[in-house]
Amino acid sequence: RPARRRAAGRQASRDAMRESKNQSRSGRGVWTAMATVAVSALALTGRAASHRAAGVSDQSSSLGAGRSRRGGWRERRDAWRPEEDRLAAAMRADPVYHRYLPTIYPGFDVNSDDWWHKPRAEAPSLGAATTDERRDFDLPGLPPRRAGVEKNDGRRHDKKNKKNQFKVCLDNGAGSWDVAFARGIDNLFVPGVCFGAVEQNDCHADADVVIFNEHDFIWGGAHRNPHTRRIELPRKARPNQVYVYFAHEAAGGFGAELRDESFTSQFDYLSYVDRRRSAMWWPFGPSLRSLTDDFNVFRKRREARVPAIAWLAADCVEPRASILRAIADAFPVFSMGECLRNAPPPRGLPERGAVDPASHASFQRAMSDYMFYFAVENAGACAGYATEKVWMALSRGSVPLYFGTDDVYELLPDPNAIVDLRRFDSVDALTERLRSLATDDAEWAKAHAWRFRDPSTWPRGFRELLRTTSTDVKYGVCDVLMKGPRGYRPSRERPRQAQCDAGVEVLGRMLGGSGGWGADAR
Protein backbone atom coordinates (compact mmCIF):
# COMPACT_ATOMS: atom_id res chain seq x y z
CA ARG A 1 0.00 0.00 0.00
CA PRO A 2 2.75 2.59 0.80
CA ALA A 3 4.41 1.78 -2.53
CA ARG A 4 1.11 2.35 -4.36
CA ARG A 5 0.71 5.69 -2.57
CA ARG A 6 4.18 6.84 -3.59
CA ALA A 7 3.61 5.77 -7.18
CA ALA A 8 0.27 7.57 -7.27
CA GLY A 9 1.84 10.74 -5.88
CA ARG A 10 4.54 10.71 -8.55
CA GLN A 11 1.94 10.07 -11.23
CA ALA A 12 -0.11 13.02 -9.96
CA SER A 13 2.94 15.27 -10.31
CA ARG A 14 3.48 14.02 -13.87
CA ASP A 15 -0.17 14.77 -14.60
CA ALA A 16 0.44 18.26 -13.25
CA MET A 17 3.41 18.67 -15.57
CA ARG A 18 1.26 17.79 -18.57
CA GLU A 19 -1.52 20.05 -17.34
CA SER A 20 0.87 22.96 -16.84
CA LYS A 21 2.04 22.58 -20.43
CA ASN A 22 -1.54 23.01 -21.60
CA GLN A 23 -2.08 26.01 -19.32
CA SER A 24 1.25 27.77 -19.94
CA ARG A 25 -0.26 30.40 -22.26
CA SER A 26 -3.21 31.17 -20.02
CA GLY A 27 -1.17 32.65 -17.16
CA ARG A 28 -2.43 30.19 -14.56
CA GLY A 29 0.91 28.34 -14.55
CA VAL A 30 2.29 27.04 -11.32
CA TRP A 31 -0.90 27.51 -9.30
CA THR A 32 -2.80 25.23 -11.69
CA ALA A 33 0.00 22.70 -11.47
CA MET A 34 0.08 22.76 -7.69
CA ALA A 35 -3.68 22.46 -7.41
CA THR A 36 -3.65 19.49 -9.76
CA VAL A 37 -0.92 17.78 -7.71
CA ALA A 38 -2.70 18.28 -4.41
CA VAL A 39 -6.24 17.44 -5.54
CA SER A 40 -5.29 14.48 -7.73
CA ALA A 41 -3.06 12.94 -5.08
CA LEU A 42 -5.64 13.43 -2.34
CA ALA A 43 -8.40 11.89 -4.42
CA LEU A 44 -6.27 8.90 -5.35
CA THR A 45 -4.58 7.93 -2.12
CA GLY A 46 -5.34 10.37 0.65
CA ARG A 47 -3.19 12.72 2.68
CA ALA A 48 0.05 10.73 2.63
CA ALA A 49 0.28 10.73 -1.15
CA SER A 50 -0.64 14.41 -1.25
CA HIS A 51 2.29 15.16 1.03
CA ARG A 52 4.55 12.99 -1.09
CA ALA A 53 3.52 14.80 -4.29
CA ALA A 54 4.21 18.17 -2.64
CA GLY A 55 7.66 17.01 -1.56
CA VAL A 56 6.87 16.57 2.14
CA SER A 57 8.74 13.65 3.67
CA ASP A 58 7.50 11.70 6.65
CA GLN A 59 9.29 9.41 9.04
CA SER A 60 7.63 6.31 7.65
CA SER A 61 9.00 6.79 4.15
CA SER A 62 12.64 7.81 4.61
CA LEU A 63 14.68 7.86 1.44
CA GLY A 64 17.04 5.02 0.61
CA ALA A 65 15.71 2.36 2.96
CA GLY A 66 12.46 0.89 4.25
CA ARG A 67 11.32 -1.21 7.18
CA SER A 68 11.03 -4.92 6.53
CA ARG A 69 8.30 -7.06 8.05
CA ARG A 70 10.85 -8.64 10.38
CA GLY A 71 11.87 -5.27 11.78
CA GLY A 72 15.25 -5.09 10.06
CA TRP A 73 16.33 -2.73 7.31
CA ARG A 74 16.13 -3.55 3.66
CA GLU A 75 17.16 -1.57 0.60
CA ARG A 76 14.37 0.02 -1.41
CA ARG A 77 14.16 -0.39 -5.16
CA ASP A 78 14.54 3.31 -5.95
CA ALA A 79 18.32 3.40 -6.46
CA TRP A 80 20.60 2.51 -9.34
CA ARG A 81 23.18 -0.10 -8.48
CA PRO A 82 25.31 -0.46 -11.62
CA GLU A 83 28.52 -0.70 -9.62
CA GLU A 84 30.15 0.51 -6.45
CA ASP A 85 31.09 4.14 -5.97
CA ARG A 86 34.28 4.49 -8.02
CA LEU A 87 35.28 7.60 -6.10
CA ALA A 88 35.07 5.73 -2.80
CA ALA A 89 37.15 2.93 -4.33
CA ALA A 90 39.80 5.44 -5.45
CA MET A 91 39.88 6.95 -1.97
CA ARG A 92 40.39 3.54 -0.39
CA ALA A 93 43.16 2.69 -2.85
CA ASP A 94 45.06 5.94 -2.14
CA PRO A 95 43.86 7.22 1.24
CA VAL A 96 46.83 9.53 1.96
CA TYR A 97 47.89 11.35 -1.19
CA HIS A 98 44.83 10.96 -3.45
CA ARG A 99 46.99 11.05 -6.57
CA TYR A 100 43.94 10.99 -8.85
CA LEU A 101 43.60 14.68 -7.90
CA PRO A 102 46.08 17.34 -9.10
CA THR A 103 48.53 18.96 -6.71
CA ILE A 104 47.47 22.50 -5.80
CA TYR A 105 50.25 23.75 -3.50
CA PRO A 106 53.49 22.53 -5.12
CA GLY A 107 56.61 23.20 -3.09
CA PHE A 108 54.82 23.73 0.20
CA ASP A 109 56.93 22.72 3.20
CA VAL A 110 55.97 23.81 6.68
CA ASN A 111 59.53 23.23 7.94
CA SER A 112 61.33 25.07 5.15
CA ASP A 113 63.72 27.90 6.06
CA ASP A 114 62.57 29.78 2.98
CA TRP A 115 59.32 31.44 4.01
CA TRP A 116 58.60 34.95 2.77
CA HIS A 117 56.49 35.86 5.81
CA LYS A 118 57.86 34.90 9.19
CA PRO A 119 56.46 34.81 12.71
CA ARG A 120 57.46 37.82 14.77
CA ALA A 121 60.49 36.11 16.30
CA GLU A 122 62.00 35.40 12.88
CA ALA A 123 63.24 37.72 10.14
CA PRO A 124 61.56 37.68 6.68
CA SER A 125 63.25 35.70 3.91
CA LEU A 126 64.03 37.20 0.52
CA GLY A 127 65.21 34.03 -1.19
CA ALA A 128 63.65 32.02 -4.00
CA ALA A 129 60.76 29.70 -3.31
CA THR A 130 61.63 26.07 -2.76
CA THR A 131 61.13 23.77 -5.74
CA ASP A 132 60.87 20.56 -3.75
CA GLU A 133 57.30 19.39 -4.36
CA ARG A 134 55.43 17.90 -1.42
CA ARG A 135 51.88 16.63 -1.33
CA ASP A 136 51.10 17.56 2.23
CA PHE A 137 47.33 17.72 2.57
CA ASP A 138 44.63 16.94 5.07
CA LEU A 139 41.95 14.98 3.27
CA PRO A 140 39.04 12.86 4.53
CA GLY A 141 40.22 9.98 6.66
CA LEU A 142 43.23 11.84 8.05
CA PRO A 143 43.23 13.76 11.33
CA PRO A 144 44.23 17.43 11.00
CA ARG A 145 47.94 17.96 11.46
CA ARG A 146 48.58 20.10 14.52
CA ALA A 147 51.63 21.92 15.77
CA GLY A 148 52.25 19.00 18.11
CA VAL A 149 52.35 15.22 17.71
CA GLU A 150 50.26 12.50 19.29
CA LYS A 151 51.79 9.79 21.44
CA ASN A 152 50.23 6.60 22.67
CA ASP A 153 49.12 8.21 25.91
CA GLY A 154 46.50 10.18 23.97
CA ARG A 155 47.90 13.57 25.02
CA ARG A 156 49.41 16.19 22.74
CA HIS A 157 53.12 16.91 23.05
CA ASP A 158 55.04 19.73 21.44
CA LYS A 159 57.17 18.69 18.53
CA LYS A 160 60.70 20.04 18.78
CA ASN A 161 62.03 22.42 16.16
CA LYS A 162 58.61 23.04 14.63
CA LYS A 163 59.14 25.98 12.29
CA ASN A 164 56.99 28.75 10.89
CA GLN A 165 54.36 28.75 13.61
CA PHE A 166 52.25 31.90 13.41
CA LYS A 167 50.00 33.49 15.98
CA VAL A 168 46.72 33.99 14.12
CA CYS A 169 43.94 36.38 15.15
CA LEU A 170 40.33 35.92 14.00
CA ASP A 171 38.95 39.43 13.86
CA ASN A 172 35.75 39.53 15.98
CA GLY A 173 35.96 35.78 16.55
CA ALA A 174 34.66 32.66 14.86
CA GLY A 175 31.08 33.58 15.75
CA SER A 176 31.16 36.44 13.23
CA TRP A 177 31.65 34.06 10.28
CA ASP A 178 28.99 32.63 8.01
CA VAL A 179 30.11 29.04 8.34
CA ALA A 180 27.47 27.87 5.86
CA PHE A 181 29.20 29.47 2.87
CA ALA A 182 31.89 26.83 2.40
CA ARG A 183 32.24 23.45 4.05
CA GLY A 184 35.45 23.06 6.02
CA ILE A 185 35.90 26.74 6.84
CA ASP A 186 35.76 25.84 10.54
CA ASN A 187 39.23 24.29 10.12
CA LEU A 188 40.45 27.87 10.01
CA PHE A 189 39.48 28.34 13.64
CA VAL A 190 41.83 25.75 15.19
CA PRO A 191 45.63 25.44 15.30
CA GLY A 192 47.51 23.28 12.83
CA VAL A 193 49.93 23.37 9.85
CA CYS A 194 51.52 26.84 10.33
CA PHE A 195 48.88 28.11 12.75
CA GLY A 196 50.72 27.75 16.04
CA ALA A 197 47.92 29.49 17.96
CA VAL A 198 44.50 30.86 17.01
CA GLU A 199 43.05 33.65 19.12
CA GLN A 200 39.75 35.51 18.89
CA ASN A 201 38.59 39.06 19.68
CA ASP A 202 40.91 41.90 20.65
CA CYS A 203 43.96 39.95 19.54
CA HIS A 204 45.41 42.24 16.85
CA ALA A 205 48.29 43.60 18.89
CA ASP A 206 50.15 40.30 19.35
CA ALA A 207 49.13 38.53 16.12
CA ASP A 208 51.39 37.71 13.19
CA VAL A 209 48.36 37.23 10.92
CA VAL A 210 44.89 38.80 11.23
CA ILE A 211 42.03 37.18 9.29
CA PHE A 212 38.91 39.21 8.48
CA ASN A 213 35.65 37.91 7.04
CA GLU A 214 33.16 39.50 4.67
CA HIS A 215 30.06 38.40 6.54
CA ASP A 216 31.11 40.49 9.53
CA PHE A 217 31.58 43.59 7.38
CA ILE A 218 28.35 43.27 5.38
CA TRP A 219 25.89 42.05 7.99
CA GLY A 220 27.71 42.85 11.25
CA GLY A 221 28.81 46.39 10.43
CA ALA A 222 32.37 45.68 11.56
CA HIS A 223 34.93 48.50 11.37
CA ARG A 224 32.51 50.86 9.65
CA ASN A 225 33.11 54.54 10.22
CA PRO A 226 29.80 55.94 11.57
CA HIS A 227 30.34 59.26 9.79
CA THR A 228 31.60 58.22 6.35
CA ARG A 229 30.03 54.69 6.39
CA ARG A 230 33.29 53.41 4.90
CA ILE A 231 35.03 50.31 6.25
CA GLU A 232 38.29 51.27 7.90
CA LEU A 233 40.53 48.55 9.29
CA PRO A 234 42.49 49.00 12.50
CA ARG A 235 46.06 50.11 11.96
CA LYS A 236 48.58 47.27 11.77
CA ALA A 237 50.49 46.63 14.96
CA ARG A 238 53.74 46.35 12.98
CA PRO A 239 54.71 46.67 9.31
CA ASN A 240 55.18 42.94 8.71
CA GLN A 241 51.80 41.96 10.21
CA VAL A 242 49.71 40.21 7.54
CA TYR A 243 46.05 41.01 6.85
CA VAL A 244 44.00 38.35 5.00
CA TYR A 245 40.41 38.83 3.83
CA PHE A 246 37.98 35.92 3.25
CA ALA A 247 35.03 36.85 1.01
CA HIS A 248 32.22 34.80 -0.52
CA GLU A 249 29.57 37.17 -1.89
CA ALA A 250 29.30 38.16 -5.56
CA ALA A 251 31.14 41.42 -6.30
CA GLY A 252 28.18 42.55 -8.40
CA GLY A 253 25.71 41.82 -5.60
CA PHE A 254 26.04 41.87 -1.81
CA GLY A 255 29.85 41.88 -2.09
CA ALA A 256 30.13 45.30 -3.72
CA GLU A 257 33.01 46.25 -1.39
CA LEU A 258 35.23 43.94 -3.45
CA ARG A 259 35.10 46.47 -6.27
CA ASP A 260 36.32 49.29 -4.05
CA GLU A 261 40.10 49.45 -4.38
CA SER A 262 40.39 51.77 -1.38
CA PHE A 263 38.91 48.92 0.65
CA THR A 264 40.72 45.91 -0.82
CA SER A 265 44.10 47.70 -0.71
CA GLN A 266 43.91 47.60 3.10
CA PHE A 267 44.56 43.85 2.96
CA ASP A 268 47.68 41.96 1.96
CA TYR A 269 45.86 38.99 0.45
CA LEU A 270 42.33 38.15 -0.66
CA SER A 271 40.74 34.70 -0.44
CA TYR A 272 37.79 34.48 -2.82
CA VAL A 273 35.89 32.32 -5.31
CA ASP A 274 37.23 34.13 -8.39
CA ARG A 275 40.50 32.34 -9.03
CA ARG A 276 41.89 34.92 -11.45
CA ARG A 277 41.43 37.95 -9.20
CA SER A 278 42.30 36.64 -5.76
CA ALA A 279 45.48 35.45 -4.09
CA MET A 280 44.08 32.36 -2.40
CA TRP A 281 41.34 30.43 -4.17
CA TRP A 282 38.72 29.17 -1.72
CA PRO A 283 35.62 28.28 -3.74
CA PHE A 284 32.27 26.75 -3.02
CA GLY A 285 32.16 23.12 -4.04
CA PRO A 286 31.68 19.51 -2.96
CA SER A 287 34.35 17.67 -1.04
CA LEU A 288 35.40 14.07 -1.49
CA ARG A 289 33.55 13.18 1.68
CA SER A 290 30.30 14.95 0.71
CA LEU A 291 30.30 13.28 -2.72
CA THR A 292 30.70 9.82 -1.23
CA ASP A 293 28.17 10.54 1.52
CA ASP A 294 25.62 11.64 -1.09
CA PHE A 295 26.20 8.75 -3.49
CA ASN A 296 23.20 6.73 -2.30
CA VAL A 297 20.77 9.59 -2.98
CA PHE A 298 22.56 10.54 -6.20
CA ARG A 299 21.85 7.17 -7.78
CA LYS A 300 18.16 7.25 -6.93
CA ARG A 301 16.17 6.28 -10.01
CA ARG A 302 14.49 8.86 -12.20
CA GLU A 303 11.08 7.30 -11.54
CA ALA A 304 11.56 7.76 -7.79
CA ARG A 305 11.84 11.54 -8.11
CA VAL A 306 9.13 14.17 -8.50
CA PRO A 307 9.31 15.67 -12.01
CA ALA A 308 9.41 19.26 -10.82
CA ILE A 309 11.79 22.12 -10.04
CA ALA A 310 12.51 22.64 -6.35
CA TRP A 311 13.66 25.97 -4.92
CA LEU A 312 14.53 27.25 -1.47
CA ALA A 313 15.33 30.98 -1.15
CA ALA A 314 15.05 33.51 1.63
CA ASP A 315 14.77 36.58 -0.59
CA CYS A 316 13.27 37.53 -3.95
CA VAL A 317 16.34 39.14 -5.48
CA GLU A 318 15.99 39.97 -9.16
CA PRO A 319 16.40 38.78 -11.82
CA ARG A 320 16.09 35.19 -10.58
CA ALA A 321 12.61 35.66 -9.11
CA SER A 322 11.20 36.92 -12.43
CA ILE A 323 12.90 34.10 -14.31
CA LEU A 324 11.38 31.47 -12.03
CA ARG A 325 7.91 33.01 -12.32
CA ALA A 326 8.09 32.65 -16.09
CA ILE A 327 9.29 29.06 -15.87
CA ALA A 328 6.54 28.23 -13.38
CA ASP A 329 3.91 29.13 -15.97
CA ALA A 330 5.09 26.19 -18.07
CA PHE A 331 6.57 23.60 -15.69
CA PRO A 332 5.81 22.53 -12.09
CA VAL A 333 7.78 24.49 -9.49
CA PHE A 334 7.86 23.71 -5.77
CA SER A 335 9.08 26.92 -4.12
CA MET A 336 9.53 26.05 -0.45
CA GLY A 337 11.45 29.07 0.87
CA GLU A 338 10.32 32.57 1.76
CA CYS A 339 10.32 33.77 -1.85
CA LEU A 340 7.34 32.82 -4.09
CA ARG A 341 6.37 30.11 -1.64
CA ASN A 342 3.73 27.75 -2.96
CA ALA A 343 4.62 24.52 -1.13
CA PRO A 344 5.68 23.57 2.39
CA PRO A 345 9.29 22.48 2.89
CA PRO A 346 9.97 18.80 3.57
CA ARG A 347 9.36 17.87 7.18
CA GLY A 348 12.50 18.05 9.30
CA LEU A 349 14.50 20.07 6.78
CA PRO A 350 17.47 21.56 8.69
CA GLU A 351 17.80 25.31 9.07
CA ARG A 352 20.31 27.28 7.01
CA GLY A 353 23.70 27.26 8.69
CA ALA A 354 23.38 23.68 9.96
CA VAL A 355 26.58 22.24 8.52
CA ASP A 356 27.03 19.12 10.64
CA PRO A 357 27.06 15.81 8.70
CA ALA A 358 23.65 14.71 10.01
CA SER A 359 22.00 17.96 8.86
CA HIS A 360 23.71 17.76 5.47
CA ALA A 361 22.52 14.18 5.01
CA SER A 362 18.97 15.09 6.04
CA PHE A 363 18.87 18.01 3.60
CA GLN A 364 20.24 15.98 0.70
CA ARG A 365 17.86 13.07 1.31
CA ALA A 366 14.84 15.37 1.37
CA MET A 367 15.77 17.48 -1.65
CA SER A 368 16.80 14.48 -3.75
CA ASP A 369 13.08 13.82 -4.12
CA TYR A 370 13.07 16.38 -6.94
CA MET A 371 14.46 15.91 -10.44
CA PHE A 372 15.55 19.54 -10.80
CA TYR A 373 16.75 22.41 -8.64
CA PHE A 374 16.66 26.13 -9.46
CA ALA A 375 20.30 26.99 -8.70
CA VAL A 376 20.41 30.51 -10.15
CA GLU A 377 22.56 32.89 -8.08
CA ASN A 378 21.25 36.10 -6.57
CA ALA A 379 23.53 38.34 -8.65
CA GLY A 380 23.26 37.03 -12.20
CA ALA A 381 26.35 35.98 -14.21
CA CYS A 382 29.43 36.66 -12.06
CA ALA A 383 33.02 35.63 -12.79
CA GLY A 384 33.93 32.41 -11.00
CA TYR A 385 30.76 32.51 -8.91
CA ALA A 386 29.03 29.16 -8.44
CA THR A 387 27.78 28.58 -4.91
CA GLU A 388 26.59 25.60 -2.91
CA LYS A 389 23.25 25.73 -4.75
CA VAL A 390 24.84 24.18 -7.84
CA TRP A 391 27.20 21.76 -6.11
CA MET A 392 24.76 20.32 -3.59
CA ALA A 393 22.21 19.69 -6.34
CA LEU A 394 24.84 17.95 -8.49
CA SER A 395 25.99 15.86 -5.54
CA ARG A 396 22.48 14.54 -4.79
CA GLY A 397 21.54 13.98 -8.45
CA SER A 398 19.03 16.82 -8.84
CA VAL A 399 19.84 18.47 -12.16
CA PRO A 400 20.64 22.18 -11.53
CA LEU A 401 19.04 24.92 -13.60
CA TYR A 402 21.81 27.50 -13.79
CA PHE A 403 23.49 30.23 -15.73
CA GLY A 404 26.80 31.94 -15.08
CA THR A 405 30.01 32.97 -16.78
CA ASP A 406 31.95 30.57 -18.98
CA ASP A 407 34.69 30.06 -16.39
CA VAL A 408 32.22 28.09 -14.27
CA TYR A 409 32.26 25.42 -16.98
CA GLU A 410 35.94 24.87 -16.19
CA LEU A 411 34.87 23.49 -12.80
CA LEU A 412 31.98 21.25 -13.85
CA PRO A 413 32.37 17.46 -13.93
CA ASP A 414 30.45 17.37 -17.22
CA PRO A 415 28.71 20.12 -19.23
CA ASN A 416 25.71 17.79 -19.57
CA ALA A 417 25.29 17.72 -15.78
CA ILE A 418 23.47 21.07 -15.68
CA VAL A 419 20.72 22.80 -17.64
CA ASP A 420 22.21 26.14 -18.71
CA LEU A 421 19.42 28.70 -19.10
CA ARG A 422 21.57 30.72 -21.53
CA ARG A 423 21.30 27.91 -24.08
CA PHE A 424 17.54 28.31 -24.58
CA ASP A 425 15.87 31.13 -26.44
CA SER A 426 12.51 30.78 -24.72
CA VAL A 427 10.76 29.23 -21.74
CA ASP A 428 9.03 26.79 -24.10
CA ALA A 429 12.39 25.54 -25.39
CA LEU A 430 13.57 25.06 -21.81
CA THR A 431 10.49 23.12 -20.76
CA GLU A 432 10.89 20.78 -23.71
CA ARG A 433 14.38 19.98 -22.45
CA LEU A 434 13.12 19.44 -18.91
CA ARG A 435 10.37 17.11 -20.13
CA SER A 436 12.95 15.15 -22.11
CA LEU A 437 15.09 14.68 -19.01
CA ALA A 438 12.04 13.81 -16.92
CA THR A 439 10.76 11.11 -19.29
CA ASP A 440 13.77 9.71 -21.18
CA ASP A 441 16.10 7.27 -19.42
CA ALA A 442 18.91 7.92 -21.90
CA GLU A 443 18.82 11.69 -21.39
CA TRP A 444 18.65 11.30 -17.62
CA ALA A 445 21.60 8.91 -17.66
CA LYS A 446 23.66 11.32 -19.77
CA ALA A 447 23.24 14.05 -17.17
CA HIS A 448 24.41 11.69 -14.41
CA ALA A 449 27.09 9.67 -16.22
CA TRP A 450 30.00 11.67 -14.76
CA ARG A 451 29.47 10.26 -11.27
CA PHE A 452 29.95 6.67 -12.43
CA ARG A 453 33.25 7.33 -14.22
CA ASP A 454 36.77 6.79 -12.91
CA PRO A 455 37.53 10.01 -10.96
CA SER A 456 40.99 10.21 -12.56
CA THR A 457 39.17 10.89 -15.87
CA TRP A 458 37.12 13.80 -14.51
CA PRO A 459 38.05 17.22 -15.97
CA ARG A 460 41.12 18.74 -14.35
CA GLY A 461 39.23 21.84 -13.18
CA PHE A 462 36.72 19.73 -11.26
CA ARG A 463 39.50 17.63 -9.72
CA GLU A 464 41.34 20.79 -8.64
CA LEU A 465 38.12 22.01 -7.07
CA LEU A 466 37.79 18.74 -5.15
CA ARG A 467 41.40 18.89 -4.00
CA THR A 468 40.91 22.45 -2.75
CA THR A 469 37.62 21.88 -0.92
CA SER A 470 38.85 18.59 0.57
CA THR A 471 42.09 20.07 1.92
CA ASP A 472 42.34 21.81 5.26
CA VAL A 473 41.90 25.52 4.43
CA LYS A 474 44.91 26.37 6.59
CA TYR A 475 47.19 24.89 3.92
CA GLY A 476 46.05 27.57 1.49
CA VAL A 477 46.78 30.37 3.97
CA CYS A 478 50.12 28.83 4.91
CA ASP A 479 51.13 28.45 1.26
CA VAL A 480 50.44 32.18 0.79
CA LEU A 481 52.54 32.98 3.86
CA MET A 482 55.38 30.79 2.62
CA LYS A 483 55.58 32.11 -0.95
CA GLY A 484 54.31 35.65 -0.43
CA PRO A 485 54.49 37.90 -3.50
CA ARG A 486 56.76 35.36 -5.20
CA GLY A 487 53.72 33.15 -5.75
CA TYR A 488 50.72 35.36 -4.96
CA ARG A 489 50.06 38.92 -6.02
CA PRO A 490 49.09 41.14 -3.08
CA SER A 491 45.58 42.61 -3.08
CA ARG A 492 46.77 46.13 -3.92
CA GLU A 493 48.40 44.84 -7.13
CA ARG A 494 45.45 42.79 -8.34
CA PRO A 495 42.64 44.05 -10.58
CA ARG A 496 39.43 44.76 -8.74
CA GLN A 497 36.71 42.14 -8.82
CA ALA A 498 34.59 42.12 -11.95
CA GLN A 499 31.09 43.50 -12.09
CA CYS A 500 28.54 40.78 -12.74
CA ASP A 501 27.57 40.70 -16.41
CA ALA A 502 24.08 42.05 -17.07
CA GLY A 503 24.52 41.65 -20.83
CA VAL A 504 23.79 37.94 -20.74
CA GLU A 505 20.74 36.65 -22.60
CA VAL A 506 18.69 34.09 -20.68
CA LEU A 507 15.59 32.45 -22.15
CA GLY A 508 15.40 35.06 -24.90
CA ARG A 509 15.72 38.15 -22.67
CA MET A 510 18.65 40.15 -21.31
CA LEU A 511 19.37 40.13 -17.60
CA GLY A 512 19.41 43.90 -17.28
CA GLY A 513 18.15 47.03 -18.94
CA SER A 514 14.74 48.04 -20.23
CA GLY A 515 12.68 44.99 -21.09
CA GLY A 516 15.13 42.64 -19.38
CA TRP A 517 14.40 40.12 -16.64
CA GLY A 518 13.30 41.87 -13.48
CA ALA A 519 12.53 45.18 -15.22
CA ASP A 520 8.84 44.87 -14.36
CA ALA A 521 9.69 44.34 -10.69
CA ARG A 522 11.88 47.44 -10.44
Side-chain angles (χ1 to χ4, degrees), residues 6 26 60 90 101 164 169 188 192 204 225 248 308 318 327 361 385 387 397 416 443 471 493 520:
R6 289 193 294 270
S26 70
S60 64
L101 301 178
N164 304 306
C169 171
L188 200 66
H204 297 70
N225 187 310
H248 66 282
E318 295 295 347
I327 295 173
Y385 198 68
T387 68
N416 294 312
E443 291 299 315
T471 299
E493 298 177 5
D520 296 339

Side-chain angles (χ1 to χ4, degrees), residues 53 280 312 501:
M280 177 188 162
L312 279 166
D501 188 0

Side-chain angles (χ1 to χ4, degrees), residues 28 64 76 84 132 152 165 167 189 210 222 257 326 329 394 404 431 447 488 496 511:
R28 284 180 281 177
R76 281 198 355 209
E84 68 168 338
D132 179 31
N152 292 333
Q165 295 299 292
K167 182 177 288 187
F189 308 152
V210 182
E257 85 288 348
D329 281 339
L394 281 174
T431 55
Y488 299 92
R496 67 177 184 172
L511 288 183

Side-chain angles (χ1 to χ4, degrees), residues 177-183 185 248 284 352-355 388 392:
W177 288 66
D178 182 2
V179 296
F181 87 84
R183 296 190 69 186
I185 197 66
H248 66 282
F284 295 89
R352 183 187 184 278
V355 295
E388 79 288 346
M392 291 182 71

Side-chain angles (χ1 to χ4, degrees), residues 275-330:
R275 196 172 191 176
R276 295 176 176 85
R277 293 181 176 85
S278 56
M280 177 188 162
W281 185 45
W282 184 248
F284 295 89
S287 66
L288 295 175
R289 182 59 64 205
S290 67
L291 281 179
T292 53
D293 286 348
D294 293 344
F295 184 65
N296 279 336
V297 293
F298 177 91
R299 62 184 182 177
K300 185 186 298 184
R301 293 168 58 90
R302 174 180 60 83
E303 295 86 351
R305 301 179 191 248
V306 178
I309 302 167
W311 191 42
L312 279 166
D315 51 65
C316 285
V317 176
E318 295 295 347
R320 66 179 181 182
S322 293
I323 294 173
L324 187 65
R325 285 191 192 97
I327 295 173
D329 281 339

Side-chain angles (χ1 to χ4, degrees), residues 230-503:
R230 298 181 67 84
I231 299 173
E232 299 175 359
L233 302 188
R235 186 182 299 274
K236 286 187 176 183
R238 64 197 66 85
N240 62 347
Q241 193 174 48
V242 180
Y243 278 8
V244 180
Y245 185 45
F246 272 72
H248 66 282
E249 292 287 358
F254 293 125
E257 85 288 348
L258 292 167
R259 294 182 48 77
D260 182 354
E261 292 180 346
S262 66
F263 169 75
T264 57
S265 62
Q266 298 180 75
F267 302 95
D268 295 289
Y269 303 103
L270 169 66
S271 172
Y272 188 54
V273 298
D274 185 353
R275 196 172 191 176
R276 295 176 176 85
R277 293 181 176 85
S278 56
M280 177 188 162
W281 185 45
W282 184 248
F284 295 89
S287 66
L288 295 175
R289 182 59 64 205
S290 67
L291 281 179
T292 53
D293 286 348
D294 293 344
F295 184 65
N296 279 336
V297 293
F298 177 91
R299 62 184 182 177
K300 185 186 298 184
R301 293 168 58 90
R302 174 180 60 83
E303 295 86 351
R305 301 179 191 248
V306 178
I309 302 167
W311 191 42
L312 279 166
D315 51 65
C316 285
V317 176
E318 295 295 347
R320 66 179 181 182
S322 293
I323 294 173
L324 187 65
R325 285 191 192 97
I327 295 173
D329 281 339
F331 196 87
V333 170
F334 288 16
S335 181
M336 298 170 282
E338 297 303 317
C339 180
L340 306 180
R341 185 169 185 168
N342 63 5
R347 186 178 301 167
L349 195 72
E351 296 291 331
R352 183 187 184 278
V355 295
D356 59 286
S359 295
H360 172 85
S362 176
F363 183 91
Q364 293 293 75
R365 280 196 304 270
M367 298 308 293
S368 69
D369 253 359
Y370 302 93
M371 289 187 180
F372 307 103
Y373 189 79
F374 190 66
V376 171
E377 307 295 352
N378 58 22
C382 310
Y385 198 68
T387 68
E388 79 288 346
K389 305 174 187 66
V390 177
W391 303 115
M392 291 182 71
L394 281 174
S395 186
R396 65 176 176 263
S398 299
V399 180
L401 276 62
Y402 181 77
F403 66 85
T405 53
D406 287 336
D407 56 359
V408 172
Y409 273 91
E410 299 172 7
L411 306 179
L412 291 175
D414 189 324
N416 294 312
I418 69 170
V419 173
D420 189 342
L421 301 185
R422 298 179 305 169
R423 306 297 170 88
F424 302 92
D425 59 10
S426 66
V427 172
D428 287 343
L430 169 66
T431 55
E432 285 303 314
R433 173 58 180 159
L434 298 182
R435 290 188 179 95
S436 175
L437 284 166
T439 57
D440 189 324
D441 281 335
E443 291 299 315
W444 182 261
K446 186 186 298 183
H448 295 78
W450 66 272
R451 189 60 180 85
F452 301 100
R453 297 181 186 130
D454 182 342
S456 65
T457 68
W458 289 344
R460 181 179 179 86
F462 183 61
R463 289 184 292 124
E464 288 178 339
L465 176 71
L466 285 177
R467 171 72 81 174
T468 302
T469 56
S470 301
T471 299
D472 188 325
V473 63
K474 292 190 290 292
Y475 277 100
V477 178
C478 293
D479 197 54
V480 169
L481 295 174
M482 175 186 171
K483 296 170 184 173
R486 301 170 298 184
Y488 299 92
R489 290 173 62 188
S491 293
R492 61 182 176 275
E493 298 177 5
R494 287 182 172 271
R496 67 177 184 172
Q497 295 298 317
Q499 178 72 36
C500 296
D501 188 0

